[in-house]
Amino acid sequence: MIRCMAIDDEPLALQQIVTYISKIPFLELAAQCQSALEARQFLEQDTVDAIFCDINMPDLNGMDFVKSLVTPPLIVFTTAYAEYAVEGFKVNAVDYLLKPFGLQDFQRAANRIKERLGVRSEGVENSSSIDISPTTNHQPLTTDTDDSIFLKTEYRIVKVSISDIRYVEAMSEYLKVHVVGDSRPIITLLSMKKMEERLPDYFMRIHRSYIVNLKMIQEVNKNRIIMDKDTYLPIGDMYKDTFQQYLDTKFLGK
């Protein structure tokens, strides 16, 4: 069993995590706390394998709490704010759950904890495993045999079909790669320049923060591109002429 702790200052949110833990056969609830300070007191007397931790809490927020731990267990952050994902990567969080999340999302995070603990117990005996520990080389691994790239995200290396990429969004030193069929983007430590160099010519930089798959544009409305009913991307001033030239080659009409 994997001993875990739930931390959230909102009683209903805490109860949701506790309920989800009870539904995962390999998880065991060791403690539930309504503050990071309460959790710290527990950890002074006992240990856990993993923590499901809210970020926005009074007195001591979840991020600072985790950073203060000398030997932190595996961490899954729960938050209503997607921008905390980058900070989560910096403290090697296993996953982050964006509120409101369901049992399926929680199960995914629990499976990642299980996988990490399994890798930990196997040690270095399995020489065929892929080393995905942090590295200073953040370029995507590529293959010339098909239309795909490999991206490092969290402690995994995932294969992504280039043709399935809808658009790429810059977020500080990270990129959010939005892929068809996945509501959550892939977050990877990579520069826009490197990504732009790797993508084929049916992708175009339209803004300092966006690269779009031209095949997936649904509409162009003034200075923005509409990818779907919920996604509107701005066209930056320095990219307008290039994008207009592309439109001119496709435009039919007077």
Side-chain angles (χ1 to χ4, degrees):
M1 297 289 284
I2 298 174
R3 285 170 51 82
C4 56
M5 171 189 286
I7 311 172
D8 201 306
D9 64 309
E10 298 178 5
L12 291 178
L14 181 61
Q15 185 55 50
Q16 180 191 45
I17 297 173
V18 170
T19 300
Y20 285 167
I21 288 173
S22 70
K23 294 179 181 295
I24 309 297
F26 54 83
L27 294 184
E28 175 188 359
L29 180 66
Q32 52 179 304
C33 305
Q34 287 191 264
S35 73
L37 297 179
E38 182 184 347
R40 178 182 285 173
Q41 291 176 353
F42 177 87
L43 292 177
E44 289 174 354
Q45 306 296 326
D46 206 340
T47 60
V48 295
D49 301 306
I51 297 177
F52 294 89
C53 184
D54 186 28
I55 293 180
N56 288 324
M57 294 186 290
D59 297 326
L60 180 63
N61 70 50
M63 194 70 65
D64 290 338
F65 164 67
V66 171
K67 291 178 181 178
S68 73
L69 299 177
V70 177
T71 309
L74 300 182
I75 303 295
V76 173
F77 283 118
T78 61
T79 177
Y81 302 94
E83 59 267 26
Y84 282 121
V86 171
E87 288 299 313
F89 278 106
K90 290 181 179 178
V91 296
N92 294 329
V94 174
D95 201 354
Y96 73 97
L97 296 173
L98 190 62
K99 297 178 180 180
F101 54 85
L103 180 58
Q104 184 176 357
D105 296 320
F106 190 88
Q107 176 77 65
R108 183 200 66 235
N111 287 339
R112 289 179 179 176
I113 290 172
K114 185 178 181 181
E115 290 170 4
R116 287 277 296 278
L117 289 174
V119 170
R120 217 182 247 179
S121 63
E122 290 172 6
V124 296
E125 293 180 6
N126 185 359
S127 60
S128 64
S129 62
I130 300 175
D131 180 11
I132 53 176
S133 57
T135 174
T136 56
N137 180 10
H138 303 302
Q139 296 185 22
L141 302 179
T142 63
T143 173
D144 295 328
T145 59
D146 58 14
D147 177 37
S148 63
I149 56 175
F150 286 86
L151 297 173
K152 181 181 294 183
T153 177
E154 301 163 348
Y155 279 78
R156 301 175 299 139
I157 293 178
V158 296
K159 184 179 181 180
V160 180
S161 174
I162 292 176
S163 59
D164 284 342
I165 297 175
R166 299 176 61 234
Y167 65 98
V168 179
E169 179 182 0
M171 185 175 62
S172 186
E173 68 267 37
Y174 289 78
L175 297 182
K176 296 168 70 173
V177 182
H178 298 261
V179 180
V180 172
D182 196 341
S183 60
R184 285 188 54 187
I186 298 167
I187 300 178
T188 186
L189 183 58
L190 191 68
S191 70
M192 285 288 273
K193 181 181 179 182
K194 290 292 184 183
M195 179 61 82
E196 193 173 12
E197 290 173 350
R198 178 63 183 89
L199 293 175
D201 58 7
Y202 59 87
F203 284 84
M204 181 179 290
R205 184 88 170 259
I206 60 159
H207 188 277
R208 61 180 299 182
S209 298
Y210 294 101
I211 299 172
V212 299
N213 184 335
L214 298 171
K215 296 180 180 180
M216 296 193 181
I217 295 175
Q218 291 189 0
E219 185 178 332
V220 180
N221 189 333
K222 296 182 179 179
N223 292 326
R224 62 182 183 176
I225 288 172
I226 301 174
M227 304 297 290
D228 56 50
K229 64 182 180 66
D230 298 316
T231 308
Y232 299 77
L233 306 180
I235 303 172
D237 290 341
M238 65 183 296
Y239 301 94
K240 285 181 180 178
D241 290 344
T242 302
F243 184 69
Q244 185 60 52
Q245 290 173 14
Y246 163 75
L247 283 182
D248 290 343
T249 65
K250 300 294 183 179
F251 185 72
L252 293 180
K254 296 181 180 180

